[in-house]
Amino acid sequence: MTRTFAFFLYFLPCLVFAQLKSPSEFLGYEIGTQFSRHADVVAYFEHVAANGEMVKYADYGKTNERRRLTYAVISSEENLANLEKIRTDNLKNIGILSGSATPEKAIVWLSYNVHGNEASSSEAAMNTVYKLITEHTDWLKNTVIIMDPNVNPDGRDRYVNWYNQVKASPYNPSRDAVEHHEPWPGGRPNHYLFDLNRDWMWASQVETQQRLKIYNQWMPQIHVDFHEQFINNPYYFAPGAEPYHDIITPFQREFQTKIGKNNAKYFDENGWLFFTRESFDLLYPSYGDTYPLFMGAIGMTYEQAGHGMAGLGIINDEEIELTLVDRVAHHTTTGLSTIEVASQQAASLNSEFKKFFQNDNLKFKSFVLKGNPDNLQALAELLDKHEIKYGYATGGKVSGFNYSDNKKGTLDANGALVVSTNQPKGKMVQVLFEPNAALSTPLTYDITAWSLPYAYGLEAVASPTLVAVNAANPNKTVVNIASPSAAGYIAKWNSMEDAEFLSALLQNDIKVRFSENELGFGGKSFGRGSLIITRSDNKSNVDFDTTLIEIANEMGRQLYASPTSFADNLTDFGSQYVHLIKNKKVAMLQGEGTSSLSYGALWHFFETQLKYPITSINTDDIGSIQWTDYDVLILSDGYYKNILSDDAFKSLEQWINKGGRVIAIGNALAAFEGKDGYDLKKNSDEKAEKEKDTLGNMIPYAQRELESTKDFITGSIYKVMLDNTHPLAFGYGDTYYTLKLGNDSFEFLKDGYNVGYITEPESVSGFSGEAANASLKNSIVFAEAKKGRGSVVYMVDDVSFRSFWQNGKLFLANAVFF
């Protein structure tokens, strides 16, 4: 009996693994010879979890298109039995949970397929988990591996389904073949066409929001994001390129190198080319490598040649056929290599991880913010997503760096939101709120400025001393009561929440007016753009008061019930300066020629933030559009000169003359530049052009790239003067901080309205080359050109960029409704 039982125990693991299938056995094709749909990837991970003792698999959410977001936790059976203790010990070690612990396990998080058409990585995820639990179980004794096999299921299936529809059998490696040319918008972005690898910090997308909840529960010590780059590049792995953000520690730098050398060992053994320390810098905080770095981990990007162009196989410039089989092998190798190093270095990872969260030497101790309560609340909600602590000051002046003055100053802290670095995630706080990140080189992969006080339009001081706070929010809950005898109700207009409120009223058939002038009723003052909801306009609505009050209370909008329409000043409800807001029909172009990212951000803005209906029209159908069906047309960033043929432009112009409004953003302005009647001309810098002609050939070859940065603006913040008497700037003060993504510079309009402009350019944060900065002198940022009964609104800078520049979004609502 005893020997029989022992025999059974001896063979039990063999029986378990006899049931476990490799990815190729499970899928019915060799891994890398076909692209697997998201459902196939999910099914394989479910199979692994059901037929092994070292994998737990769970959902953490759903995408906009209802695909499952999942993650696997992989470790030894003993560790899985003690998983909660391992997790909480890690959080105790860094001070996020109270108590003390000395963890011995390294936690490694591997993220795959954040870009949907970089599709080799989900195939590699299946391969990696299988090899890990069948060939490398020793590593799992002191490591816990978290795998997200598909960060972007909607994008992946968009790519895979298209590719499987058009590919030849067998696949065609010629670059000319249709299978190597994705249609717009490609599989890279998610449902709303956001780049999820730029959304880690801003968390505007449901995938990010749901993933962060799990990430914060675990706080891994290593995070790898698996990507693909273009077909002619060798494999890239860490260490990263300069500039490194100066919050990154020497240990993090050294450990990246340690992992890189281990990866290199395997690549050299296989004869695979790679590169390191080039192209992919570590500055901008919203990537899948930098966000974990600023949360204490060893954050890394791994880039395999391929991308959406590669398909199952393609001939590159070196006449080498790059196959999906190759790409899967490379990503599998680096994933396993990373885990190997984590296992070898588990003790140092834990000890150094703890040190990262000790924030004694940070330059600023507290960031103190005041201003629009709605913007403060929006900022608080962002901090909540990352479980960053904050409080509210009880009074007193605070001294430090004043963001508005761009120098040392003070701020009355009474009721201010205070975010201090004296907390476990203090280094991330420093990164997010610092006035100006230091740059070791201006050659960066992304924007160089993101400081949250500017992004949220708030007064702020960065204090070198700790500011005392309490947890109570000084803003009171709004409770409105119906006033059936009131002539009407007045609501403020200075935030996106006010715009969402207007959207809800219009869609509930409540008529609303706005005032071009400042208002005075009952001793209270209301700024330009204030909403007036009169009883006389809504006489036919029997539920007028009830509906209005319910919407206002639900959305936290304070109403003033005015007993009279007779104003304290000159502007009564019936004034010629008080206008009825039409329920506008809005159209937006999408498709070839438009920026998918810009279009996606606007689509997301209308559907999830303003919550106002919009009609998206493909650029292929522009010739058949009945413009008279719409009041407003939005042209997102894009290139429209080829789209707007002479006939199409003439038709559009006729519509504008009859009262239509175009909102042109970013490169869309080029469609109107130099055209008669549109008053839009680029600034020219003849001196700079002559200097370029004179010196161009004298610049040494090795210095050309660095020298070119004098003409660049890489996501820099500029102060803009506003004419806030113009409806486009209602709700703003007389200044605004804009995020400039390039050096496009247009002259002041001679006949139109220069609403937002720069006279003497000065970047308050981020990199601007000397020549690019100078070219912005006397240039517009926001303007309106009248054309017949209609107009064109010019937005040189994209106010909806990645949905994180909160303070710019009201310009869009103003442009649509006023």
Side-chain angles (χ1 to χ4, degrees), residues 24 90 109 140 151 176 239 258 271 319 321 341 346 366 377 418 469:
S24 298
N90 180 51
W109 186 304
L140 298 178
V151 175
D176 297 328
K258 190 169 293 188
E319 299 297 319
E321 185 174 340
V341 176
S366 293
Q377 180 59 32
V418 179
V469 298

Side-chain angles (χ1 to χ4, degrees), residues 263-560:
N263 291 343
K265 177 183 71 175
Y266 292 111
F267 271 58
D268 288 342
E269 286 176 3
N270 285 283
W272 299 336
L273 288 177
F274 63 88
F275 68 97
T276 65
R277 293 160 289 190
E278 296 174 19
S279 302
F280 302 101
D281 63 81
L282 299 171
L283 181 74
Y284 175 66
S286 202
Y287 282 124
D289 53 9
T290 51
Y291 179 90
L293 275 165
F294 304 153
M295 288 289 195
I298 310 302
M300 296 175 293
T301 287
Y302 292 170
E303 293 270 358
Q304 162 63 47
H307 212 271
M309 188 178 184
L312 292 177
I314 194 168
I315 305 296
N316 69 14
D317 283 355
E318 295 182 346
E319 299 297 319
I320 296 170
E321 185 174 340
L322 172 67
T323 68
L324 180 59
V325 171
D326 298 330
R327 291 148 63 193
V328 172
H330 299 163
H331 268 335
T332 301
T333 299
T334 54
L336 292 172
S337 168
T338 301
I339 296 167
E340 179 184 28
V341 176
S343 177
Q344 295 167 351
Q345 301 291 326
S348 64
L349 279 169
N350 277 292
S351 62
E352 293 294 333
F353 198 49
K354 180 176 183 176
K355 291 178 186 177
F356 182 91
F357 291 88
Q358 297 165 355
N359 303 312
D360 299 332
N361 299 317
L362 296 177
K363 180 179 180 180
F364 297 113
K365 302 299 183 187
S366 293
F367 298 93
V368 184
L369 306 107
K370 294 190 76 171
N372 188 319
D374 290 331
N375 289 1
L376 284 168
Q377 180 59 32
L379 176 57
E381 290 170 2
L382 176 69
L383 298 175
D384 288 339
K385 291 174 183 175
H386 301 280
E387 299 182 16
I388 292 172
K389 299 173 184 176
Y390 55 89
Y392 297 89
T394 55
K397 285 192 174 180
V398 176
S399 298
F401 177 86
N402 188 296
Y403 289 74
S404 299
D405 298 334
N406 200 28
K407 61 183 181 181
K408 188 174 181 180
T410 61
L411 184 70
D412 180 3
N414 187 36
L417 177 70
V418 179
V419 191
S420 296
T421 57
N422 184 30
Q423 59 174 303
K425 295 178 181 177
K427 286 190 171 71
M428 178 60 91
V429 171
Q430 177 84 9
V431 170
L432 296 177
F433 288 89
E434 64 187 341
N436 200 3
L439 285 172
S440 59
T441 171
L443 294 171
T444 61
Y445 195 72
D446 212 297
I447 63 175
T448 55
W450 54 82
S451 185
L452 294 185
Y454 296 120
Y456 282 76
L458 299 167
E459 298 177 71
V461 161
S463 170
T465 59
L466 193 64
V467 176
V469 298
N470 60 38
N473 188 334
N475 297 316
K476 298 177 181 178
T477 303
V478 172
V479 179
N480 295 289
I481 299 172
S483 298
S485 62
Y489 299 84
I490 306 173
K492 70 177 182 66
W493 182 266
N494 62 10
S495 74
M496 261 306 300
E497 287 71 17
D498 298 327
E500 186 183 348
F501 175 55
L502 171 60
S503 172
L505 295 180
L506 294 177
Q507 291 175 80
N508 278 274
D509 297 321
I510 293 177
K511 293 182 178 179
V512 185
R513 295 176 181 267
F514 76 95
S515 175
E516 283 190 33
N517 291 341
E518 294 178 347
L519 297 174
F521 283 86
K524 299 180 181 296
S525 298
F526 303 90
R528 289 184 170 88
S530 294
L531 305 180
I532 302 172
I533 309 109
T534 71
R535 191 169 302 281
S536 59
D537 283 332
N538 293 280
K539 287 186 290 188
S540 61
N541 189 335
V542 293
D543 296 321
F544 165 60
D545 289 278
T546 302
T547 304
L548 173 61
I549 297 302
E550 283 180 357
I551 295 172
N553 286 342
E554 182 182 345
M555 302 183 75
R557 301 301 91 193
Q558 185 67 62
L559 301 176
Y560 170 69

Side-chain angles (χ1 to χ4, degrees), residues 687-718:
K687 180 181 176 183
E689 290 301 318
K690 287 180 181 177
E691 185 177 282
K692 188 185 293 183
D693 291 340
T694 304
L695 299 177
N697 292 332
M698 301 303 296
I699 300 169
Y701 178 83
Q703 296 178 19
R704 291 277 176 104
E705 186 178 21
L706 188 61
E707 178 68 16
S708 70
T709 62
K710 71 180 185 180
D711 298 314
F712 294 166
I713 293 175
T714 50
S716 186
I717 300 171
Y718 279 81

Side-chain angles (χ1 to χ4, degrees), residues 506-671:
L506 294 177
Q507 291 175 80
N508 278 274
D509 297 321
I510 293 177
K511 293 182 178 179
V512 185
R513 295 176 181 267
F514 76 95
S515 175
E516 283 190 33
N517 291 341
E518 294 178 347
L519 297 174
F521 283 86
K524 299 180 181 296
S525 298
F526 303 90
R528 289 184 170 88
S530 294
L531 305 180
I532 302 172
I533 309 109
T534 71
R535 191 169 302 281
S536 59
D537 283 332
N538 293 280
K539 287 186 290 188
S540 61
N541 189 335
V542 293
D543 296 321
F544 165 60
D545 289 278
T546 302
T547 304
L548 173 61
I549 297 302
E550 283 180 357
I551 295 172
N553 286 342
E554 182 182 345
M555 302 183 75
R557 301 301 91 193
Q558 185 67 62
L559 301 176
Y560 170 69
S562 178
T564 177
S565 60
F566 189 89
D568 298 348
N569 58 19
L570 298 176
T571 306
D572 304 318
F573 283 3
S575 167
Q576 63 178 319
Y577 299 107
V578 174
H579 307 285
L580 191 67
I581 300 173
K582 184 179 178 182
N583 205 341
K584 302 291 179 65
K585 294 178 181 177
V586 183
M588 179 163 59
L589 293 185
Q590 60 110 286
E592 294 296 336
T594 68
S595 161
S596 61
L597 296 174
S598 178
Y599 163 78
L602 289 163
W603 178 24
H604 183 261
F605 168 82
F606 277 94
E607 284 199 358
T608 71
Q609 297 168 67
L610 189 59
K611 298 182 176 67
Y612 191 79
I614 188 168
T615 300
S616 293
I617 301 172
N618 195 279
T619 52
D620 289 343
D621 300 321
I622 196 167
S624 60
I625 298 172
Q626 294 294 321
W627 295 112
T628 52
D629 291 344
Y630 305 99
D631 302 297
V632 178
L633 172 67
I634 299 175
L635 301 180
S636 64
D637 188 26
Y639 299 92
Y640 293 88
K641 286 191 173 180
N642 293 333
I643 297 166
L644 290 170
S645 64
D646 290 344
D647 287 344
F649 192 88
K650 184 177 180 180
S651 176
L652 179 64
E653 188 171 48
Q654 290 172 347
W655 170 75
I656 295 171
N657 279 316
K658 292 177 182 178
R661 181 181 308 150
V662 172
I663 302 170
I665 299 170
N667 287 310
L669 273 68

Side-chain angles (χ1 to χ4, degrees), residues 198-211:
R198 273 78 171 169
D199 194 51
W200 273 82
M201 187 62 234
W202 317 131
S204 68
Q205 301 302 292
V206 294
E207 295 92 341
T208 311
Q209 293 162 14
Q210 294 169 105
R211 183 175 69 253

